[in-house]
Amino acid sequence: MKIFSRIAAVLLATLLPFTACSSADDPDKAGSTPAATPDEAAPRSGTAEAAPGEEIEVKPLAFNASGLLGGTARPRFDDGEAGEVSVVQVGPLDTDQGILLFAFRNNTAEGISHVDWTATARSGGSIAGTGSSQGTIPAQIAPGEVGLSYIFFENAEAIPGNAQYEFAVETSPVDTTSYNTAPLAVTEVNLVGEAIVGSATNATGASTEGPYSVAMYCFEGNDLAWYTSSFTEQDGPIEDGGTATFTVDLYGDKCAKYVIGVGGYFS
């Protein structure tokens, strides 16, 4: 039931050790809900301003500070590594689907897009598997903000449960150039029967192109639990202010706390 969409990325690469996350989440109600309301506002430009020669201290933001995601989950994450894009939580390895969920924080002074992760699984000091990410939500991530993604492992069923993971990331700058990743703002989500339906708006100030992927991450308490995805009904150009609608089938699974993100590309 999970649909993967691979997003290529092109710039800065840094090897990142995993840092565990441990904090309690806030209670929320399941069912019909508007997009999650950000606790803190992220810079719209995705860039922190500084005087020449001044070192910028990036403040870690509350989850969904940009307001681009919708849903009922309000997880909290560790601050992450200063000045880096670092992993702040690793979820379970789903050996049936071959995916490892994780969260990361952008503690650089610039917004990032086309965020592409790779990971190496090690057991007993030896490599047990390698994999790469399949896109992130949000599609562009401001300084201090948290993003969600997953690694797809071809041989997930053979990776031991005690494996340790090493992560590396490549990113591009935030802008509206052609084929850069474009986040749509989720404006409505409703749990109806065994599906989540909703809409997202292009508030980027530029025209976007599909396909528009819809990613849903389910949480248990404060922890990533499982993932599924879909696409919007629309796949053509969406002008600034235009909307797209979607349905994410849960296929009988239950999820009281979830977040949904929608992303495409700039024209």
Side-chain angles (χ1 to χ4, degrees):
M1 72 180 178
K2 301 172 174 68
I3 303 173
F4 304 132
S5 57
R6 184 181 181 85
I7 299 178
V10 289
L11 288 178
L12 175 66
T14 54
L15 185 64
L16 303 175
F18 162 61
T19 302
C21 167
S22 58
S23 56
D25 67 325
D26 297 328
D28 289 284
K29 296 180 180 179
S32 177
T33 177
T37 302
D39 295 318
E40 301 178 55
R44 183 176 176 84
S45 65
T47 303
E49 299 294 336
E54 180 185 354
E55 184 176 351
I56 296 174
E57 181 180 354
V58 176
K59 178 182 179 182
L61 300 179
F63 182 71
N64 196 26
S66 64
L68 292 170
L69 308 180
T72 57
R74 305 290 190 275
R76 295 178 181 175
F77 298 98
D78 283 353
D79 290 350
E81 300 295 327
E84 300 180 8
V85 181
S86 61
V87 173
V88 293
Q89 185 185 118
V90 173
L93 175 63
D94 183 337
T95 55
D96 291 335
Q97 300 299 324
I99 62 174
L100 177 75
L101 306 180
F102 67 98
F104 62 94
R105 190 183 294 277
N106 174 23
N107 280 333
T108 71
E110 304 290 334
I112 56 176
S113 61
H114 264 305
V115 183
D116 186 34
W117 290 86
T118 57
T120 301
R122 289 186 177 272
S123 179
S126 299
I127 295 177
T130 63
S132 57
S133 63
Q134 310 287 301
T136 68
I137 59 169
Q140 294 187 337
I141 300 162
E145 191 172 19
V146 168
L148 303 178
S149 188
Y150 67 88
I151 300 292
F152 176 68
F153 288 99
E154 290 280 358
N155 68 330
E157 72 284 349
I159 297 176
N162 65 348
Q164 296 181 329
Y165 298 93
E166 299 169 349
F167 294 84
V169 65
E170 296 179 352
T171 71
S172 292
V174 163
D175 56 37
T176 59
T177 56
S178 182
Y179 295 109
N180 201 359
T181 50
L184 273 63
V186 177
T187 51
E188 183 178 3
V189 285
N190 301 306
L191 179 60
V192 181
E194 294 184 355
I196 296 172
V197 297
S199 63
T201 299
N202 176 7
T204 64
S207 178
T208 60
E209 296 278 354
Y212 300 98
S213 60
V214 183
M216 191 216 77
Y217 288 81
C218 184
F219 285 79
E220 292 181 357
N222 200 56
D223 300 327
L224 286 159
W226 57 274
Y227 162 94
T228 190
S229 65
S230 184
F231 293 92
T232 63
E233 307 297 342
Q234 300 76 18
D235 59 8
I238 298 178
E239 299 301 320
D240 184 48
T243 62
T245 57
F246 57 84
T247 298
V248 179
D249 199 328
L250 302 183
Y251 296 95
D253 289 333
K254 303 295 184 182
C255 184
K257 295 187 177 183
Y258 63 88
V259 292
I260 286 185
V262 177
Y265 301 89
F266 286 107
S267 301

